[in-house]
Amino acid sequence: MIYANNYDVILLTEVCPKNSRNPLLDSRVNLHGYQTISNLSSGHCRCGTIALVKSSYVFTLLSIPVDALTPKLYFFDISVPQSKNHPTVRIGCVYRSPSSPSHDQTDAKLAELIRKIADTNKGDLLIAGDFNLPTIPWKDQFP
């Protein structure tokens, strides 16, 4: 399916079960013709995220300070050769476990982080993932 549809970027969340006995390594998810970005390199898999980016694209991973309140995430800027108006697209993949603490401080931290990333972006922005935040008024927070 991936090769038949010729996707440029593929974002995956929850790539391994929380109770997995064997770690999922980047080498197990590499696909010919794609570069892999993940948060699996630590060797322990706790619902990680993976991005597959077509090998012909150049990307730069953004450095994002994280702490215990930050969900699993990464953002990267990708150069899109076909685009004349916005040659760079910022893409983010987020996974926030439903068992994450759901209180105002955690939710505000995630909203602030997304706002900072959006504010420093000069091109198009795509944020995808599994936020597990059904009570956030997304349209009000990010009009």
PDB file of all heavy atoms in Angstrom, residues 100-135:
ATOM      1  N   SER A 100      -1.875   9.717  30.507  1.00  0.00           N
ATOM      2  CA  SER A 100      -1.096  10.884  30.918  1.00  0.00           C
ATOM      3  C   SER A 100      -1.909  11.713  31.901  1.00  0.00           C
ATOM      4  O   SER A 100      -3.133  11.743  31.825  1.00  0.00           O
ATOM      5  CB  SER A 100      -0.766  11.772  29.711  1.00  0.00           C
ATOM      6  OG  SER A 100       0.109  11.130  28.849  1.00  0.00           O
ATOM      7  N   PRO A 101      -1.223  12.385  32.811  1.00  0.00           N
ATOM      8  CA  PRO A 101      -1.969  13.231  33.743  1.00  0.00           C
ATOM      9  C   PRO A 101      -2.786  14.262  32.962  1.00  0.00           C
ATOM     10  O   PRO A 101      -2.264  14.944  32.101  1.00  0.00           O
ATOM     11  CB  PRO A 101      -0.881  13.928  34.572  1.00  0.00           C
ATOM     12  CG  PRO A 101       0.403  13.296  34.221  1.00  0.00           C
ATOM     13  CD  PRO A 101       0.206  12.485  32.991  1.00  0.00           C
ATOM     14  N   SER A 102      -4.057  14.315  33.234  1.00  0.00           N
ATOM     15  CA  SER A 102      -4.915  15.269  32.539  1.00  0.00           C
ATOM     16  C   SER A 102      -5.291  16.385  33.503  1.00  0.00           C
ATOM     17  O   SER A 102      -6.306  16.337  34.168  1.00  0.00           O
ATOM     18  CB  SER A 102      -6.168  14.571  32.017  1.00  0.00           C
ATOM     19  OG  SER A 102      -6.959  15.488  31.309  1.00  0.00           O
ATOM     20  N   HIS A 103      -4.413  17.330  33.571  1.00  0.00           N
ATOM     21  CA  HIS A 103      -4.714  18.493  34.393  1.00  0.00           C
ATOM     22  C   HIS A 103      -4.276  19.739  33.649  1.00  0.00           C
ATOM     23  O   HIS A 103      -3.581  19.672  32.628  1.00  0.00           O
ATOM     24  CB  HIS A 103      -4.069  18.378  35.783  1.00  0.00           C
ATOM     25  CG  HIS A 103      -2.602  18.078  35.762  1.00  0.00           C
ATOM     26  ND1 HIS A 103      -1.650  19.000  35.417  1.00  0.00           N
ATOM     27  CD2 HIS A 103      -1.933  16.937  36.032  1.00  0.00           C
ATOM     28  CE1 HIS A 103      -0.450  18.452  35.496  1.00  0.00           C
ATOM     29  NE2 HIS A 103      -0.597  17.201  35.851  1.00  0.00           N
ATOM     30  N   ASP A 104      -4.684  20.866  34.146  1.00  0.00           N
ATOM     31  CA  ASP A 104      -4.468  22.125  33.442  1.00  0.00           C
ATOM     32  C   ASP A 104      -2.999  22.381  33.109  1.00  0.00           C
ATOM     33  O   ASP A 104      -2.678  22.881  32.039  1.00  0.00           O
ATOM     34  CB  ASP A 104      -5.028  23.290  34.251  1.00  0.00           C
ATOM     35  CG  ASP A 104      -6.542  23.264  34.323  1.00  0.00           C
ATOM     36  OD1 ASP A 104      -7.151  22.596  33.459  1.00  0.00           O
ATOM     37  OD2 ASP A 104      -7.105  23.899  35.228  1.00  0.00           O
ATOM     38  N   GLN A 105      -2.084  22.019  34.008  1.00  0.00           N
ATOM     39  CA  GLN A 105      -0.662  22.287  33.771  1.00  0.00           C
ATOM     40  C   GLN A 105      -0.147  21.504  32.567  1.00  0.00           C
ATOM     41  O   GLN A 105       0.554  22.051  31.711  1.00  0.00           O
ATOM     42  CB  GLN A 105       0.147  21.940  35.018  1.00  0.00           C
ATOM     43  CG  GLN A 105       1.624  22.253  34.873  1.00  0.00           C
ATOM     44  CD  GLN A 105       2.430  21.843  36.103  1.00  0.00           C
ATOM     45  OE1 GLN A 105       1.927  21.167  36.990  1.00  0.00           O
ATOM     46  NE2 GLN A 105       3.681  22.245  36.124  1.00  0.00           N
ATOM     47  N   THR A 106      -0.476  20.232  32.471  1.00  0.00           N
ATOM     48  CA  THR A 106      -0.024  19.397  31.355  1.00  0.00           C
ATOM     49  C   THR A 106      -0.628  19.881  30.041  1.00  0.00           C
ATOM     50  O   THR A 106       0.065  20.005  29.032  1.00  0.00           O
ATOM     51  CB  THR A 106      -0.413  17.926  31.598  1.00  0.00           C
ATOM     52  OG1 THR A 106       0.122  17.515  32.845  1.00  0.00           O
ATOM     53  CG2 THR A 106       0.120  17.039  30.509  1.00  0.00           C
ATOM     54  N   ASP A 107      -1.935  20.145  30.051  1.00  0.00           N
ATOM     55  CA  ASP A 107      -2.615  20.599  28.840  1.00  0.00           C
ATOM     56  C   ASP A 107      -2.090  21.956  28.389  1.00  0.00           C
ATOM     57  O   ASP A 107      -1.873  22.199  27.209  1.00  0.00           O
ATOM     58  CB  ASP A 107      -4.131  20.671  29.070  1.00  0.00           C
ATOM     59  CG  ASP A 107      -4.731  19.307  29.376  1.00  0.00           C
ATOM     60  OD1 ASP A 107      -4.048  18.284  29.157  1.00  0.00           O
ATOM     61  OD2 ASP A 107      -5.882  19.268  29.842  1.00  0.00           O
ATOM     62  N   ALA A 108      -1.853  22.850  29.339  1.00  0.00           N
ATOM     63  CA  ALA A 108      -1.333  24.180  29.007  1.00  0.00           C
ATOM     64  C   ALA A 108       0.076  24.081  28.434  1.00  0.00           C
ATOM     65  O   ALA A 108       0.435  24.812  27.510  1.00  0.00           O
ATOM     66  CB  ALA A 108      -1.348  25.082  30.235  1.00  0.00           C
ATOM     67  N   LYS A 109       0.884  23.166  28.966  1.00  0.00           N
ATOM     68  CA  LYS A 109       2.250  22.989  28.467  1.00  0.00           C
ATOM     69  C   LYS A 109       2.234  22.524  27.011  1.00  0.00           C
ATOM     70  O   LYS A 109       2.990  23.019  26.185  1.00  0.00           O
ATOM     71  CB  LYS A 109       3.017  22.007  29.336  1.00  0.00           C
ATOM     72  CG  LYS A 109       4.458  21.834  28.905  1.00  0.00           C
ATOM     73  CD  LYS A 109       5.238  21.067  29.938  1.00  0.00           C
ATOM     74  CE  LYS A 109       6.683  20.951  29.593  1.00  0.00           C
ATOM     75  NZ  LYS A 109       7.410  22.204  29.623  1.00  0.00           N
ATOM     76  N   LEU A 110       1.379  21.573  26.694  1.00  0.00           N
ATOM     77  CA  LEU A 110       1.275  21.094  25.314  1.00  0.00           C
ATOM     78  C   LEU A 110       0.794  22.217  24.396  1.00  0.00           C
ATOM     79  O   LEU A 110       1.355  22.430  23.319  1.00  0.00           O
ATOM     80  CB  LEU A 110       0.336  19.892  25.227  1.00  0.00           C
ATOM     81  CG  LEU A 110       0.115  19.328  23.827  1.00  0.00           C
ATOM     82  CD1 LEU A 110       1.422  18.879  23.188  1.00  0.00           C
ATOM     83  CD2 LEU A 110      -0.879  18.177  23.878  1.00  0.00           C
ATOM     84  N   ALA A 111      -0.217  22.963  24.814  1.00  0.00           N
ATOM     85  CA  ALA A 111      -0.724  24.070  24.001  1.00  0.00           C
ATOM     86  C   ALA A 111       0.348  25.135  23.799  1.00  0.00           C
ATOM     87  O   ALA A 111       0.520  25.653  22.686  1.00  0.00           O
ATOM     88  CB  ALA A 111      -1.967  24.678  24.658  1.00  0.00           C
ATOM     89  N   GLU A 112       1.107  25.456  24.848  1.00  0.00           N
ATOM     90  CA  GLU A 112       2.172  26.452  24.737  1.00  0.00           C
ATOM     91  C   GLU A 112       3.270  25.979  23.783  1.00  0.00           C
ATOM     92  O   GLU A 112       3.769  26.744  22.961  1.00  0.00           O
ATOM     93  CB  GLU A 112       2.772  26.719  26.119  1.00  0.00           C
ATOM     94  CG  GLU A 112       3.931  27.693  26.103  1.00  0.00           C
ATOM     95  CD  GLU A 112       4.594  27.819  27.474  1.00  0.00           C
ATOM     96  OE1 GLU A 112       4.002  27.402  28.480  1.00  0.00           O
ATOM     97  OE2 GLU A 112       5.716  28.335  27.524  1.00  0.00           O
ATOM     98  N   LEU A 113       3.635  24.719  23.871  1.00  0.00           N
ATOM     99  CA  LEU A 113       4.664  24.159  23.002  1.00  0.00           C
ATOM    100  C   LEU A 113       4.228  24.218  21.536  1.00  0.00           C
ATOM    101  O   LEU A 113       4.984  24.655  20.670  1.00  0.00           O
ATOM    102  CB  LEU A 113       4.963  22.725  23.413  1.00  0.00           C
ATOM    103  CG  LEU A 113       6.031  21.996  22.631  1.00  0.00           C
ATOM    104  CD1 LEU A 113       7.384  22.669  22.791  1.00  0.00           C
ATOM    105  CD2 LEU A 113       6.121  20.544  23.100  1.00  0.00           C
ATOM    106  N   ILE A 114       3.010  23.830  21.260  1.00  0.00           N
ATOM    107  CA  ILE A 114       2.499  23.881  19.883  1.00  0.00           C
ATOM    108  C   ILE A 114       2.445  25.322  19.392  1.00  0.00           C
ATOM    109  O   ILE A 114       2.807  25.621  18.252  1.00  0.00           O
ATOM    110  CB  ILE A 114       1.118  23.192  19.783  1.00  0.00           C
ATOM    111  CG1 ILE A 114       1.292  21.678  19.979  1.00  0.00           C
ATOM    112  CG2 ILE A 114       0.456  23.496  18.444  1.00  0.00           C
ATOM    113  CD1 ILE A 114      -0.004  20.920  20.070  1.00  0.00           C
ATOM    114  N   ARG A 115       2.010  26.242  20.249  1.00  0.00           N
ATOM    115  CA  ARG A 115       1.937  27.652  19.857  1.00  0.00           C
ATOM    116  C   ARG A 115       3.330  28.201  19.523  1.00  0.00           C
ATOM    117  O   ARG A 115       3.516  28.896  18.528  1.00  0.00           O
ATOM    118  CB  ARG A 115       1.281  28.483  20.954  1.00  0.00           C
ATOM    119  CG  ARG A 115       0.990  29.911  20.514  1.00  0.00           C
ATOM    120  CD  ARG A 115       0.152  30.692  21.510  1.00  0.00           C
ATOM    121  NE  ARG A 115      -1.204  30.180  21.529  1.00  0.00           N
ATOM    122  CZ  ARG A 115      -1.757  29.515  22.551  1.00  0.00           C
ATOM    123  NH1 ARG A 115      -1.079  29.263  23.637  1.00  0.00           N
ATOM    124  NH2 ARG A 115      -2.992  29.089  22.489  1.00  0.00           N
ATOM    125  N   LYS A 116       4.341  27.883  20.342  1.00  0.00           N
ATOM    126  CA  LYS A 116       5.710  28.336  20.066  1.00  0.00           C
ATOM    127  C   LYS A 116       6.227  27.781  18.745  1.00  0.00           C
ATOM    128  O   LYS A 116       6.860  28.496  17.968  1.00  0.00           O
ATOM    129  CB  LYS A 116       6.646  27.923  21.203  1.00  0.00           C
ATOM    130  CG  LYS A 116       6.543  28.768  22.423  1.00  0.00           C
ATOM    131  CD  LYS A 116       7.541  28.308  23.480  1.00  0.00           C
ATOM    132  CE  LYS A 116       7.408  29.127  24.745  1.00  0.00           C
ATOM    133  NZ  LYS A 116       8.326  28.677  25.787  1.00  0.00           N
ATOM    134  N   ILE A 117       5.968  26.515  18.499  1.00  0.00           N
ATOM    135  CA  ILE A 117       6.416  25.897  17.250  1.00  0.00           C
ATOM    136  C   ILE A 117       5.720  26.555  16.065  1.00  0.00           C
ATOM    137  O   ILE A 117       6.338  26.831  15.038  1.00  0.00           O
ATOM    138  CB  ILE A 117       6.177  24.380  17.293  1.00  0.00           C
ATOM    139  CG1 ILE A 117       7.182  23.748  18.274  1.00  0.00           C
ATOM    140  CG2 ILE A 117       6.287  23.762  15.918  1.00  0.00           C
ATOM    141  CD1 ILE A 117       6.909  22.324  18.624  1.00  0.00           C
ATOM    142  N   ALA A 118       4.447  26.833  16.203  1.00  0.00           N
ATOM    143  CA  ALA A 118       3.697  27.492  15.120  1.00  0.00           C
ATOM    144  C   ALA A 118       4.181  28.919  14.908  1.00  0.00           C
ATOM    145  O   ALA A 118       4.337  29.370  13.769  1.00  0.00           O
ATOM    146  CB  ALA A 118       2.199  27.477  15.437  1.00  0.00           C
ATOM    147  N   ASP A 119       4.448  29.634  15.991  1.00  0.00           N
ATOM    148  CA  ASP A 119       4.871  31.034  15.891  1.00  0.00           C
ATOM    149  C   ASP A 119       6.243  31.196  15.250  1.00  0.00           C
ATOM    150  O   ASP A 119       6.531  32.222  14.636  1.00  0.00           O
ATOM    151  CB  ASP A 119       4.868  31.706  17.267  1.00  0.00           C
ATOM    152  CG  ASP A 119       3.462  31.948  17.799  1.00  0.00           C
ATOM    153  OD1 ASP A 119       2.497  31.840  17.023  1.00  0.00           O
ATOM    154  OD2 ASP A 119       3.349  32.232  19.012  1.00  0.00           O
ATOM    155  N   THR A 120       7.120  30.215  15.409  1.00  0.00           N
ATOM    156  CA  THR A 120       8.467  30.308  14.835  1.00  0.00           C
ATOM    157  C   THR A 120       8.536  29.731  13.424  1.00  0.00           C
ATOM    158  O   THR A 120       9.595  29.728  12.814  1.00  0.00           O
ATOM    159  CB  THR A 120       9.498  29.574  15.715  1.00  0.00           C
ATOM    160  OG1 THR A 120       9.148  28.183  15.787  1.00  0.00           O
ATOM    161  CG2 THR A 120       9.559  30.184  17.100  1.00  0.00           C
ATOM    162  N   ASN A 121       7.411  29.283  12.910  1.00  0.00           N
ATOM    163  CA  ASN A 121       7.376  28.664  11.591  1.00  0.00           C
ATOM    164  C   ASN A 121       7.079  29.706  10.521  1.00  0.00           C
ATOM    165  O   ASN A 121       6.201  30.533  10.678  1.00  0.00           O
ATOM    166  CB  ASN A 121       6.291  27.575  11.574  1.00  0.00           C
ATOM    167  CG  ASN A 121       6.270  26.816  10.292  1.00  0.00           C
ATOM    168  OD1 ASN A 121       7.313  26.449   9.773  1.00  0.00           O
ATOM    169  ND2 ASN A 121       5.090  26.577   9.770  1.00  0.00           N
ATOM    170  N   LYS A 122       7.818  29.663   9.426  1.00  0.00           N
ATOM    171  CA  LYS A 122       7.609  30.619   8.335  1.00  0.00           C
ATOM    172  C   LYS A 122       6.851  30.022   7.156  1.00  0.00           C
ATOM    173  O   LYS A 122       6.404  30.734   6.281  1.00  0.00           O
ATOM    174  CB  LYS A 122       8.960  31.157   7.867  1.00  0.00           C
ATOM    175  CG  LYS A 122       9.653  32.014   8.914  1.00  0.00           C
ATOM    176  CD  LYS A 122      10.988  32.501   8.403  1.00  0.00           C
ATOM    177  CE  LYS A 122      11.674  33.466   9.306  1.00  0.00           C
ATOM    178  NZ  LYS A 122      11.851  33.135  10.668  1.00  0.00           N
ATOM    179  N   GLY A 123       6.732  28.721   7.116  1.00  0.00           N
ATOM    180  CA  GLY A 123       6.061  28.060   5.997  1.00  0.00           C
ATOM    181  C   GLY A 123       4.771  27.402   6.442  1.00  0.00           C
ATOM    182  O   GLY A 123       4.135  27.822   7.418  1.00  0.00           O
ATOM    183  N   ASP A 124       4.399  26.351   5.731  1.00  0.00           N
ATOM    184  CA  ASP A 124       3.207  25.596   6.084  1.00  0.00           C
ATOM    185  C   ASP A 124       3.501  24.735   7.306  1.00  0.00           C
ATOM    186  O   ASP A 124       4.645  24.381   7.582  1.00  0.00           O
ATOM    187  CB  ASP A 124       2.783  24.709   4.919  1.00  0.00           C
ATOM    188  CG  ASP A 124       2.295  25.527   3.727  1.00  0.00           C
ATOM    189  OD1 ASP A 124       1.732  26.614   3.946  1.00  0.00           O
ATOM    190  OD2 ASP A 124       2.486  25.083   2.585  1.00  0.00           O
ATOM    191  N   LEU A 125       2.430  24.377   8.035  1.00  0.00           N
ATOM    192  CA  LEU A 125       2.569  23.610   9.263  1.00  0.00           C
ATOM    193  C   LEU A 125       1.540  22.494   9.275  1.00  0.00           C
ATOM    194  O   LEU A 125       0.367  22.711   8.995  1.00  0.00           O
ATOM    195  CB  LEU A 125       2.365  24.522  10.479  1.00  0.00           C
ATOM    196  CG  LEU A 125       2.336  23.875  11.851  1.00  0.00           C
ATOM    197  CD1 LEU A 125       3.685  23.256  12.195  1.00  0.00           C
ATOM    198  CD2 LEU A 125       1.954  24.909  12.907  1.00  0.00           C
ATOM    199  N   LEU A 126       1.996  21.276   9.596  1.00  0.00           N
ATOM    200  CA  LEU A 126       1.113  20.124   9.737  1.00  0.00           C
ATOM    201  C   LEU A 126       1.433  19.463  11.062  1.00  0.00           C
ATOM    202  O   LEU A 126       2.586  19.079  11.311  1.00  0.00           O
ATOM    203  CB  LEU A 126       1.327  19.124   8.598  1.00  0.00           C
ATOM    204  CG  LEU A 126       0.642  17.765   8.761  1.00  0.00           C
ATOM    205  CD1 LEU A 126      -0.869  17.921   8.676  1.00  0.00           C
ATOM    206  CD2 LEU A 126       1.148  16.780   7.742  1.00  0.00           C
ATOM    207  N   ILE A 127       0.428  19.364  11.939  1.00  0.00           N
ATOM    208  CA  ILE A 127       0.595  18.673  13.212  1.00  0.00           C
ATOM    209  C   ILE A 127      -0.419  17.542  13.230  1.00  0.00           C
ATOM    210  O   ILE A 127      -1.617  17.766  13.048  1.00  0.00           O
ATOM    211  CB  ILE A 127       0.362  19.604  14.413  1.00  0.00           C
ATOM    212  CG1 ILE A 127       1.332  20.793  14.366  1.00  0.00           C
ATOM    213  CG2 ILE A 127       0.521  18.830  15.723  1.00  0.00           C
ATOM    214  CD1 ILE A 127       1.058  21.846  15.405  1.00  0.00           C
ATOM    215  N   ALA A 128       0.081  16.326  13.429  1.00  0.00           N
ATOM    216  CA  ALA A 128      -0.790  15.154  13.423  1.00  0.00           C
ATOM    217  C   ALA A 128      -0.427  14.267  14.598  1.00  0.00           C
ATOM    218  O   ALA A 128       0.622  14.417  15.208  1.00  0.00           O
ATOM    219  CB  ALA A 128      -0.615  14.395  12.107  1.00  0.00           C
ATOM    220  N   GLY A 129      -1.305  13.350  14.905  1.00  0.00           N
ATOM    221  CA  GLY A 129      -1.011  12.393  15.948  1.00  0.00           C
ATOM    222  C   GLY A 129      -2.238  12.024  16.737  1.00  0.00           C
ATOM    223  O   GLY A 129      -3.366  12.219  16.306  1.00  0.00           O
ATOM    224  N   ASP A 130      -1.988  11.489  17.904  1.00  0.00           N
ATOM    225  CA  ASP A 130      -3.044  11.051  18.799  1.00  0.00           C
ATOM    226  C   ASP A 130      -2.873  11.829  20.100  1.00  0.00           C
ATOM    227  O   ASP A 130      -2.006  11.540  20.904  1.00  0.00           O
ATOM    228  CB  ASP A 130      -2.908   9.548  19.041  1.00  0.00           C
ATOM    229  CG  ASP A 130      -4.075   8.972  19.816  1.00  0.00           C
ATOM    230  OD1 ASP A 130      -4.915   9.755  20.309  1.00  0.00           O
ATOM    231  OD2 ASP A 130      -4.135   7.741  19.950  1.00  0.00           O
ATOM    232  N   PHE A 131      -3.702  12.849  20.273  1.00  0.00           N
ATOM    233  CA  PHE A 131      -3.568  13.752  21.413  1.00  0.00           C
ATOM    234  C   PHE A 131      -4.294  13.246  22.656  1.00  0.00           C
ATOM    235  O   PHE A 131      -3.958  13.631  23.758  1.00  0.00           O
ATOM    236  CB  PHE A 131      -4.086  15.144  21.049  1.00  0.00           C
ATOM    237  CG  PHE A 131      -3.241  15.831  20.021  1.00  0.00           C
ATOM    238  CD1 PHE A 131      -3.454  15.627  18.678  1.00  0.00           C
ATOM    239  CD2 PHE A 131      -2.217  16.677  20.398  1.00  0.00           C
ATOM    240  CE1 PHE A 131      -2.662  16.260  17.718  1.00  0.00           C
ATOM    241  CE2 PHE A 131      -1.424  17.304  19.466  1.00  0.00           C
ATOM    242  CZ  PHE A 131      -1.647  17.094  18.122  1.00  0.00           C
ATOM    243  N   ASN A 132      -5.312  12.425  22.471  1.00  0.00           N
ATOM    244  CA  ASN A 132      -6.104  11.938  23.597  1.00  0.00           C
ATOM    245  C   ASN A 132      -6.534  13.080  24.516  1.00  0.00           C
ATOM    246  O   ASN A 132      -6.372  13.019  25.735  1.00  0.00           O
ATOM    247  CB  ASN A 132      -5.334  10.871  24.390  1.00  0.00           C
ATOM    248  CG  ASN A 132      -5.305   9.555  23.658  1.00  0.00           C
ATOM    249  OD1 ASN A 132      -6.333   9.003  23.308  1.00  0.00           O
ATOM    250  ND2 ASN A 132      -4.107   9.064  23.382  1.00  0.00           N
ATOM    251  N   LEU A 133      -7.040  14.134  23.908  1.00  0.00           N
ATOM    252  CA  LEU A 133      -7.513  15.309  24.648  1.00  0.00           C
ATOM    253  C   LEU A 133      -8.911  15.695  24.168  1.00  0.00           C
ATOM    254  O   LEU A 133      -9.105  16.701  23.505  1.00  0.00           O
ATOM    255  CB  LEU A 133      -6.549  16.488  24.442  1.00  0.00           C
ATOM    256  CG  LEU A 133      -5.186  16.359  25.086  1.00  0.00           C
ATOM    257  CD1 LEU A 133      -4.243  17.436  24.579  1.00  0.00           C
ATOM    258  CD2 LEU A 133      -5.301  16.409  26.595  1.00  0.00           C
ATOM    259  N   PRO A 134      -9.908  14.926  24.523  1.00  0.00           N
ATOM    260  CA  PRO A 134     -11.250  15.192  24.007  1.00  0.00           C
ATOM    261  C   PRO A 134     -11.887  16.473  24.539  1.00  0.00           C
ATOM    262  O   PRO A 134     -12.816  16.993  23.939  1.00  0.00           O
ATOM    263  CB  PRO A 134     -12.048  13.969  24.441  1.00  0.00           C
ATOM    264  CG  PRO A 134     -11.324  13.459  25.642  1.00  0.00           C
ATOM    265  CD  PRO A 134      -9.868  13.766  25.408  1.00  0.00           C
ATOM    266  N   THR A 135     -11.390  17.013  25.654  1.00  0.00           N
ATOM    267  CA  THR A 135     -12.034  18.192  26.235  1.00  0.00           C
ATOM    268  C   THR A 135     -11.399  19.506  25.805  1.00  0.00           C
ATOM    269  O   THR A 135     -11.902  20.567  26.160  1.00  0.00           O
ATOM    270  CB  THR A 135     -12.006  18.118  27.782  1.00  0.00           C
ATOM    271  OG1 THR A 135     -10.646  18.062  28.214  1.00  0.00           O
ATOM    272  CG2 THR A 135     -12.757  16.883  28.286  1.00  0.00           C
TER     273      THR A 135
END
